[in-house]
Amino acid sequence: MDVSEDVGREAWMLLFQLFRAQRKEMAGLSSEFQLNGAQVHLLMNLQAAKPVPMSELAEALHCDASYITGLVDKVEQRGLVQRMPDPADRRVKLIGLTPEGLETRQRLMDRFSEPPPFIAILSQDDKTALRDIFRRAAQAMPTPLPGQASA
Amino acid sequence: MDVSEDVGREAWMLLFQLFRAQRKEMAGLSSEFQLNGAQVHLLMNLQAAKPVPMSELAEALHCDASYITGLVDKVEQRGLVQRMPDPADRRVKLIGLTPEGLETRQRLMDRFSEPPPFIAILSQDDKTALRDIFRRAAQAMPTPLPGQASA
DNA sequence: TATTGTTATACTCTATAACTATA
DNA sequence: TATAGTTATAGAGTATAACAATA
């Protein structure tokens, strides 16, 4: 096993542990909004302007369509999203944010984008280096990353 | 909101999404070993030489003691760990790895330490920079990070 | 016949409360 | 009386299978 591989391994293991150490805080953050993790990601995956088919949400959240039904039910009951018929295909239901949902999503993104301690404690130089490296990583990845926090 | 804060925010949001994009693969990795996430972390938190009280495991895994009972039951039935009495306090049970558990833990750590795509694709320089930054972050954090992968 | 979403149901993960043995 | 672990149980999260409406 060559040394160059070990650098990536060590970086990953450190990140893995750092990330995991603050998983509890993330859960707490979700419950601040009385949402579970999946609901948070549901809102993050919705855009203000363009309603989205439920099937697409299932794909984005890597979960079964039947689970999306229940997920949408809950946030719809809270007035954050609404189901709309798709004029082009009457089997499809489009999910869009309500004005209140948009506002909640905004607060959610602001809150979630607050860096956890292991990033907050870094020097400005390290933060910048991290950002640049992750930008390169994101660009090289096939996955289109969902909604960005508004600055 | 000043600009220096935004750098940390952007770094964090990018990391968050990159991390999340490969959460599915992590779950798949656990099930390769027919273990769930908690069982993986249980094994990772056990050391070869020194058996550990169950209460300590509950703390390390951030979960309730009652859940540890079931967790240990399952991996004990598979012969990976064993309960041992603590001579110093007969209420306490110490959990230690069996030889088979040690071997499984080794394979587990080797497998889990394989960097995910978003790290693997980085240049050698970027990997090194990441490692150094995370080392600084880990050192500055209060949490003692558990078992490191053996190189 | 295939696909979108829904319903009913079951399984896994995890916590809470009551309990036993020991301190 | 307090603590370590266990048991019973309940709740949340998620998937699978059968189904209705539409394509």
Side-chain angles (χ1 to χ4, degrees), chain A residues 108-128:
Chain A
L108 199 60
M109 294 298 280
D110 283 351
R111 213 54 194 78
F112 264 83
S113 65
E114 274 173 35
F118 80 87
I119 288 184
I121 58 175
L122 294 172
S123 70
Q124 190 62 23
D125 280 355
D126 278 351
K127 285 180 193 168
T128 305

Side-chain angles (χ1 to χ4, degrees), chain A residues 53-117:
Chain A
M54 297 181 69
S55 56
E56 213 166 289
L57 291 174
E59 201 172 350
L61 272 70
H62 303 293
C63 68
D64 193 84
S66 66
Y67 184 55
I68 295 291
T69 296
L71 226 47
V72 168
D73 282 350
K74 286 195 204 84
V75 287
E76 188 172 39
Q77 273 158 28
R78 288 179 49 187
L80 303 180
V81 307
Q82 55 188 340
R83 285 173 164 90
M84 288 168 291
D86 181 345
D89 184 338
R90 286 181 13 218
R91 292 172 303 179
V92 172
K93 286 172 189 163
L94 300 173
I95 309 302
L97 287 168
T98 63
E100 191 189 340
L102 183 58
E103 189 266 348
T104 298
R105 180 183 188 282
Q106 180 63 54
R107 282 188 300 127
L108 199 60
M109 294 298 280
D110 283 351
R111 213 54 194 78
F112 264 83
S113 65
E114 274 173 35

Side-chain angles (χ1 to χ4, degrees), chain A residues 5-64:
Chain A
E5 189 184 328
D6 286 348
V7 176
R9 279 191 187 252
E10 186 183 346
W12 165 237
M13 286 312 281
L14 285 167
L15 173 59
F16 181 63
Q17 323 246 17
L18 288 166
F19 204 97
R20 190 153 206 284
Q22 48 90 55
R23 159 186 65 98
K24 211 76 185 177
E25 285 69 31
M26 296 275 293
L29 222 164
S30 299
S31 65
E32 263 181 41
F33 287 84
Q34 288 164 304
L35 296 168
N36 68 23
Q39 289 164 344
V40 166
H41 285 284
L42 179 67
L43 290 184
M44 283 188 177
N45 274 279
L46 290 175
Q47 278 137 37
K50 192 169 66 63
V52 158
M54 297 181 69
S55 56
E56 213 166 289
L57 291 174
E59 201 172 350
L61 272 70
H62 303 293
C63 68
D64 193 84

Side-chain angles (χ1 to χ4, degrees), chain B residues 60-81:
Chain B
L61 273 70
H62 303 294
C63 70
D64 193 84
S66 66
Y67 184 55
I68 295 291
T69 295
L71 225 48
V72 168
D73 282 350
K74 286 195 203 83
V75 287
E76 188 173 39
Q77 274 158 29
R78 288 179 50 188
L80 304 180
V81 307

Side-chain angles (χ1 to χ4, degrees), chain B residues 31 84 92 124:
Chain B
S31 65
M84 290 168 289
V92 172
Q124 190 63 23

